[in-house]
Each structure stands twice: as structure tokens, then as C-alpha cells.
Amino acid sequence: MRVDKYLWCVRYYKTRNIATEACKKGHITVNGQAAKPSREVFPTDKITLRKDQINYILTVLDVPDNRVGAKLVDIYRKDETPAEAFEHLELLRLSKEHYRAKGTGRPTKKDRRDIDDYTDDNIDFEDDAV
């Protein structure tokens, strides 16, 4: 089975076209070699793919005939992705929450005044300490 079709069948990509594009961009390797979309995969092959800033490592256990349900995916692949990769993704998500919420736009006049008051307070505090 083609590697793009396999990744679509085991639900790593929503469409075959997206899986094909990932192969063309070099995000997928089979047994350590960059894979074209038409590369055949066989049981015991190791597939490495980069998706959502995570390097997934898969071992092909069997080749499905067609796309399988989410509950049956584990029959056809073994996921050997280290847990640290998912922890790193969680840290990235938490760090993004620290900044302004998406869609809130530029600071308002009130926000600007609050920022200025905050920075002025810190400057005065440093002057008093000297």
C-alpha cells in the first residue's frame, strides 16, 4: 500500500491529498529515508512523520484494506512516539495563553494607560530604592 494511503487509512491525515502534500514536503520518512507519496509500506516498516510540531514514530503492524475506524487503528500500527513530545506541545500551548487573546486586537486607550501607569510605578519604585 502507498504510504500516503496508509497514513490516511490509519487516520493520521483527514484526506489523502493532505497526506500526499506532507510526503512531498518531506515531513514523512520510511525507514529513515524521505518518502514519496507512492512509496510502498510493508509490515515492520518504521514511519516517522512530523505533524503539529510533533515527530510521530510508527511501526506498521499490518496493512488495512481500506480506511479503518478509530477504535481499530491499533491493529494496524504501533505508536512509539515518546511522551516528551506531547509534553512539549502542552508547554507550547500554555505559553501561548500568556499573551493577549487572539482576536482582541490592539490595546485600547485604557489598556495603554494601565500599561503606562504600571511602568511609571516601577520606575518610581526603583528611584525610591536608590
Side-chain angles (χ1 to χ4, degrees):
M1 177 180 280
R2 295 169 52 116
V3 68
D4 61 340
K5 186 173 181 181
Y6 177 80
L7 291 171
W8 170 74
C9 285
V10 294
R11 301 185 164 267
Y12 274 91
Y13 291 101
K14 192 171 184 177
T15 64
R16 274 192 65 186
N17 189 36
I18 295 171
T20 303
E21 290 299 318
C23 289
K24 288 179 181 177
K25 290 178 182 176
H27 295 183
I28 297 170
T29 62
V30 177
N31 297 329
Q33 296 177 341
K36 291 183 178 179
S38 61
R39 167 80 186 259
E40 292 289 321
V41 292
F42 302 100
T44 70
D45 281 349
K46 282 204 176 276
I47 299 175
T48 305
L49 65 112
R50 180 153 179 87
K51 181 180 170 193
D52 299 331
Q53 297 184 348
I54 295 179
N55 290 326
Y56 292 94
I57 302 168
L58 313 172
T59 302
V60 178
L61 298 177
D62 196 10
V63 179
D65 293 330
N66 209 339
R67 189 168 167 101
V68 295
K71 292 180 180 179
L72 302 175
V73 169
D74 290 331
I75 297 171
Y76 299 102
R77 61 104 173 124
K78 181 179 178 190
D79 192 353
E80 299 173 353
T81 307
E84 297 95 37
F86 296 107
E87 292 169 4
H88 178 69
L89 183 67
E90 183 67 19
L91 286 174
L92 283 174
R93 189 183 64 77
L94 291 173
S95 68
K96 287 180 183 178
E97 290 177 0
H98 174 71
Y99 299 103
R100 282 182 73 86
K102 186 175 181 180
T104 57
R106 292 173 41 190
T108 62
K109 282 185 179 180
K110 183 179 182 327
D111 292 339
R112 183 77 238 166
R113 289 185 190 121
D114 289 342
I115 292 169
D116 288 341
D117 288 342
Y118 177 75
T119 56
D120 289 342
D121 289 344
N122 284 343
I123 293 171
D124 293 339
F125 179 71
E126 290 172 1
D127 292 338
D128 293 340
V130 175

